Amino acid sequence: MTPQRRRSSGGGGRRQQRNEAARLTEQLLDAGYSKKQVGDILGRNPSLVSQFFTKNKGASMVEALRAVVQEVQAGGPRDLTSLKALAAGYVQPRLNKAGYKARVRGKSRQRAEKTVKDRRGRPVVDQDGKPVKAWSSSLAKAGRQHIASGASRLRPVVDDAAQHGGLIAFTVRARKGAFKHDSGRRADSPGLRRNVVQRRDNTEERAYADNRGGPGSGEEGFDGRQFKAMVDAAGGDVSAAVQKWLVDNDRIEPGTPIVGLEIRAWMPRED
């Protein structure tokens, strides 16, 4: 006689057993995104997203998913380009079996364009028959060594924002205790980035001017042209310009070296 299957006590079934990555993904699915789109936002294959539900994977994606969910729920940009740029700052590096960072390098610089459409929502076509593209966002990251050599990959992001009238935000990584302001200061890291990211090497990250359309106070991006003028005054060194701004605005102790810097630029939404 075939034994009867035991039913789990309490309601909810498998939904209650889902891990955090699956739970957050489900909120994005409820918001109208597909698993393929969630994969695109995370920079991963959509099959991995399915494994959040079937194989209990996705622990390294939780922070990125949480940031995206909060951005969507706060009424921020919902387009994939903006959400992908946001998630990129949270996706943890892949680890090998020994627990060390896998030798798979992510992109240190990204640039996105969108198709220009007319008033009727139809794509504008150029003389060559191809859709006309317009800049929409850029992102670049620099670590300790690249910053020491001038962080040249950050400059194109600033140039894009200045040329197209975009906005800029940045995340700074420096030693713990070097920042002179409270981590919950809404004028610096409002909304989803208000929590400081702590690192094992005695450093932490703080974000500035990243209140992209969310509720509450805080700067909604630095003006791209003004930011470029600040960088030009620093001889074109983006990290030096950021460090000067932090010191001048009493955000960090003078002489504190920046060991990590991420610059994000985007076009403001047309309301």
Side-chain angles (χ1 to χ4, degrees):
M1 181 176 179
T2 304
Q4 295 182 349
R5 295 182 179 179
R6 294 182 179 179
R7 296 183 179 180
S8 58
S9 59
R14 294 182 61 86
R15 181 180 291 266
Q16 289 186 346
Q17 300 175 14
R18 288 174 178 170
N19 63 16
E20 185 69 2
R23 187 186 69 79
L24 292 167
T25 299
E26 191 165 37
Q27 293 185 46
L28 292 176
L29 299 179
D30 292 340
Y33 296 94
S34 65
K35 289 184 179 180
K36 182 180 184 304
Q37 290 174 320
V38 174
D40 289 340
I41 292 172
L42 297 174
R44 296 291 188 269
N45 192 289
S47 63
L48 175 62
V49 178
S50 296
Q51 293 177 29
F52 295 169
F53 299 87
T54 60
K55 297 186 178 180
N56 202 37
K57 291 188 176 183
S60 63
M61 301 293 168
V62 168
E63 292 301 321
L65 286 166
R66 184 176 292 116
V68 172
V69 168
Q70 290 179 341
E71 181 81 346
V72 171
Q73 292 178 346
R78 294 176 58 93
D79 61 284
L80 298 184
T81 300
S82 298
L83 295 178
K84 184 174 182 179
L86 171 62
Y90 290 88
V91 174
Q92 299 179 13
R94 298 174 181 175
L95 303 179
N96 56 25
K97 293 182 179 180
Y100 297 99
K101 183 177 179 180
R103 300 186 66 179
V104 179
R105 294 185 179 180
K107 293 183 178 180
S108 57
R109 186 169 64 191
Q110 300 176 9
R111 189 178 191 276
E113 296 179 332
K114 63 180 180 180
T115 301
V116 178
K117 297 183 179 180
D118 59 22
R119 294 182 178 180
R120 296 184 179 182
R122 297 175 301 185
V124 176
V125 180
D126 203 350
Q127 295 180 352
D128 58 2
K130 297 181 180 180
V132 176
K133 300 285 187 177
W135 173 82
S136 60
S137 66
S138 296
L139 178 148
K141 303 177 183 180
R144 190 191 307 266
Q145 293 182 345
H146 193 62
I147 288 174
S149 63
S152 58
R153 72 167 67 105
L154 302 178
R155 185 58 190 263
V157 178
V158 178
D159 292 339
D160 280 340
Q163 179 182 352
H164 300 284
L167 301 176
I168 287 179
F170 57 86
T171 297
V172 176
R173 182 175 175 183
R175 63 177 175 81
K176 294 179 181 178
F179 295 95
K180 301 175 66 175
H181 59 90
D182 178 48
S183 62
R185 184 188 179 101
R186 293 190 65 82
D188 288 329
S189 305
L192 60 95
R193 287 182 180 269
R194 190 159 62 248
N195 294 325
V196 174
V197 179
Q198 303 285 351
R199 299 296 183 180
R200 294 182 178 179
D201 60 353
N202 201 37
T203 64
E204 63 185 28
E205 295 179 358
R206 301 284 183 98
Y208 300 87
D210 205 20
N211 190 24
R212 286 181 271 179
S217 60
E219 295 177 275
E220 192 176 347
F222 296 102
D223 180 83
R225 296 183 180 91
Q226 294 179 3
F227 198 93
K228 182 178 183 300
M230 185 174 67
V231 172
D232 290 342
D237 190 329
V238 179
S239 59
V242 169
Q243 187 177 46
K244 185 178 186 303
W245 183 90
L246 292 171
V247 173
D248 290 347
N249 289 273
D250 204 31
R251 299 295 199 273
I252 203 169
E253 294 288 349
T256 301
I258 295 176
V259 299
L261 181 60
E262 177 184 297
I263 303 289
R264 300 175 295 281
W266 69 95
M267 281 296 295
R269 293 182 300 171
E270 298 180 358
D271 296 327

